[in-house]
Amino acid sequence: VQLQASGGGWVQAGGSLRLSCAASGRTFNTYAMAWFRQAPGKERAFVAAISWSGGSTYYADSVKGRFTISRDNAKNTMYLQMNNLKPEDTAVYYCAAGDSPTTSESFYYWGQGTQVTVSS
């Protein structure tokens, strides 16, 4: 599976962005998908994950209530709707595919990352 993340950009605090992750291959709907992010000087961190069917979603506490993960298996695409963005959300956002939405270590396909910058 090859993953291509897009949709990043610059936004003021309180604004919104929607990230997309387009996947190649016919097996997209067999993978759990997730978003991770890496801020400058910090390790990569889990943001949100979704099961292969889209029926189960999981979020880091820091984004609950503000971010929504979703997927469209017919379009081989995953999304991350980010609302009420905060400066601490500034990071490079990566999409990933793997076996389990509840185990960060199970994600082994990675996209190239898209930069999100939130100004105060």
Side-chain angles (χ1 to χ4, degrees):
V1 175
Q2 291 185 319
L3 305 174
Q4 179 77 33
S6 63
W10 178 89
V11 65
Q12 288 189 322
S16 298
L17 284 173
R18 187 174 84 152
L19 305 183
S20 298
C21 177
S24 64
R26 293 177 289 179
T27 59
F28 174 77
N29 61 0
T30 66
Y31 291 102
M33 299 293 295
W35 290 97
F36 291 77
R37 66 187 181 187
Q38 187 166 18
K42 295 187 177 181
E43 293 186 354
R44 189 160 58 189
F46 169 79
V47 175
I50 188 166
S51 61
W52 65 269
S53 67
S56 297
T57 56
Y58 307 86
Y59 296 94
D61 288 343
S62 58
V63 306
K64 279 181 182 176
R66 300 188 298 122
F67 291 10
T68 302
I69 189 171
S70 61
R71 66 190 296 165
D72 185 338
N73 286 343
K75 295 182 178 180
N76 280 12
T77 304
M78 174 182 64
Y79 306 97
L80 185 68
Q81 178 66 44
M82 305 186 294
N83 298 328
N84 190 21
L85 282 160
K86 303 176 181 180
E88 51 264 43
D89 294 318
T90 295
V92 177
Y93 283 71
Y94 298 90
C95 58
D99 293 329
S100 172
T102 60
T103 307
S104 296
E105 294 76 13
S106 74
F107 291 95
Y108 41 83
Y109 293 112
W110 294 87
Q112 86 290 1
T114 184
Q115 176 71 46
V116 172
T117 303
V118 184
S119 65
S120 58

